[in-house]
Each structure stands twice: as C-alpha cells, then as structure tokens.
C-alpha cells in the first residue's frame, strides 16, 4: 500500500523537477507560480524556500515528491488570525485522494498554530478542487467574475474560507446577508 509522507523539508532539485513536470492544465489551475520554465524554475524554488511567512508541506509517496502545499501568514497585524492556503499535486497523482488527505493535514496544522480562518481562491471550473474544499467545510465567500485571464480567456475566481468557529461565523454571515438584503 502506498504511504504518504509529509515533510517541511525537501531537496531543492527534487522540488524544481516536480515543478517542471506539472502540465499546462495543472498550471492553469494553480497559477500561483505563473509560467514555469527551465529558465525561471530555480528562481521560483529559491523564492519559496526563502519565504518565512510560509509553513511548507512537501508531499512524498514512496520517497518521490508528488506535491507541494503551504499555509501562508499575512504580514498585516490585523490579519494575523488568517492564513492563505495553496496546494498542487503532480498530474500523475491527481484524483487518487492525496489532495484531500493533505488538505486535512494542513487544516489540523492551521488550527494547532491558532489560526482562526483559512482562506483560499480557486477557479470556478476547477471542479475537483471545489469538491474537496466543500467536503472539508470551506464556504464560498465571494465570486469574482472575469477576475483573471488565462490564455486570453476570462476565468471566474471563487474565494472560500474555512473557520475554526463555524457556528459563530454562520450566525454572523446570516446577519450580514440580512443587512445587505
């Protein structure tokens, strides 16, 4: 049986190799790094390794790097209770439940680090990501129409949040929606 291992450390060359192996479709859904090429992959990897606001998770399957994810702290004091979230799984390993497992692990770490909210964005047509996030309890906070253009075509962005105190947030959300109606 395949055993996942999550580490905060990774060999930079392994990370670069994994990034270069990501398909155009995967990079279109995970646009965080932009276009990845042999020319810029070292710079991208170095930037990730140096970013001290991030809690990094390198995902290994039988000692092969198959994914990368992170929780990122906001620099503003007013947002110290919120972290952002990103994840990418290598194409070969997508659709096998690894993303869901890692997301659960990251959520547990976020709560242990005393974050109160995990915030992310994804594209409206990234059905597998939306399915995972909804299953984990993330709720839609905003819809941004034509927010980004990929290959010249507009893409809508969905903002989602997961709250440590879901019940209190649900009541707050209902009050705000009532005020806005």
């Amino acid at each position: 049986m395949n055993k996942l291992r999550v580490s905060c450390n990774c060999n930079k060359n392994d990370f670069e190799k994994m990034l270069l192996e990501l398909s155009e479709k995967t990079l279109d859904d995970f646009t965080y790094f932009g276009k990845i090429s042999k020319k810029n992959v070292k710079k991208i990897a170095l930037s990730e390794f140096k970013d001290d606001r991030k809690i990094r998770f390198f995902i290994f399957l039988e000692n092969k790097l198959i994914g990368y994810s992170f929780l990122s702290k906001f620099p503003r004091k007013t947002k110290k209770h919120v972290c952002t979230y990103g994840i990418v799984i290598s194409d070969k390993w997508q659709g096998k439940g690894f993303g869901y497992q890692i997301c659960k692990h990251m959520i547990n770490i976020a709560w242990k680090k005393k974050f109160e909210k995990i915030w992310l964005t994804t594209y409206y047509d990234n059905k597998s990501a939306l399915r995972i996030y909804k299953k984990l309890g993330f709720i839609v906070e905003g819809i941004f129409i034509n927010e980004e253009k990929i290959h010249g075509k507009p893409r809508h962005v969905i903002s989602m949040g997961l709250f440590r105190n879901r019940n209190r947030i649900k009541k707050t959300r209902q009050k705000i929606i009532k005020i806005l109606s």
Side-chain angles (χ1 to χ4, degrees):
M1 178 149 173
N2 295 332
K3 179 99 168 118
L4 277 185
R5 180 175 59 87
V6 179
S7 176
C8 293
N9 300 307
C10 176
N11 177 295
K12 198 161 80 78
N13 291 334
D14 290 343
F15 185 51
E16 291 170 7
K17 182 180 176 190
M18 187 208 78
L19 291 175
L20 286 169
E21 290 174 352
L22 296 173
S23 70
E24 186 173 340
K25 185 201 177 313
T26 294
L27 290 173
D28 286 350
D29 286 338
F30 185 75
T31 57
Y32 178 77
F33 295 126
K35 181 91 172 130
I36 298 174
S37 68
K38 288 182 179 179
K39 282 186 173 182
N40 70 0
V41 72
K42 288 187 183 308
K43 184 177 177 181
I44 290 169
L46 185 62
S47 175
E48 282 303 292
F49 280 84
K50 282 187 172 183
D51 190 342
D52 63 354
R53 292 178 305 160
K54 286 192 178 149
I55 303 167
R56 286 175 282 284
F57 304 90
F58 297 97
I59 303 120
F60 294 89
L61 182 65
E62 297 176 356
N63 295 320
K64 177 172 175 47
L65 182 64
I66 67 161
Y68 171 66
S69 60
F70 61 84
L71 297 170
S72 185
K73 305 169 195 172
F74 280 96
R76 290 184 8 215
K77 287 184 181 181
T78 58
K79 292 186 92 168
K80 293 286 184 194
H81 63 290
V82 180
C83 64
T84 61
Y85 170 102
I87 182 169
V88 63
I89 302 292
S90 296
D91 295 79
K92 179 180 175 182
W93 304 104
Q94 292 176 15
K96 299 182 185 325
F98 299 131
Y100 179 77
Q101 289 178 53
I102 297 309
C103 289
K104 282 178 41 177
H105 176 74
M106 291 171 61
I107 291 165
N108 288 332
I109 297 294
W111 297 161
K112 285 179 185 173
K113 297 281 186 183
K114 305 295 186 217
F115 288 108
E116 296 172 27
K117 176 182 176 181
I118 303 169
W119 177 77
L120 63 83
T121 60
T122 190
Y123 295 105
Y124 83 104
D125 55 354
N126 189 348
K127 305 278 189 239
S128 59
L130 285 167
R131 195 170 31 255
I132 290 170
Y133 299 145
K134 286 178 182 177
K135 186 175 177 181
L136 290 165
F138 282 84
I139 59 170
V140 173
E141 292 192 288
I143 301 168
F144 301 90
I145 306 298
N146 296 341
E147 183 71 6
E148 296 184 19
K149 286 195 175 185
I150 308 285
H151 308 295
K153 295 180 183 175
R155 283 185 87 186
H156 315 306
V157 174
I158 308 298
S159 169
M160 301 181 85
L162 181 66
F163 299 86
R164 189 173 189 158
N165 185 338
R166 293 178 195 172
N167 292 333
R168 188 180 79 221
I169 296 303
K170 189 175 183 178
K171 290 176 186 174
T172 303
R173 183 181 172 101
Q174 288 169 342
K175 285 180 188 177
I176 292 169
I177 289 171
K178 188 175 182 180
I179 291 168
L180 293 174
S181 297

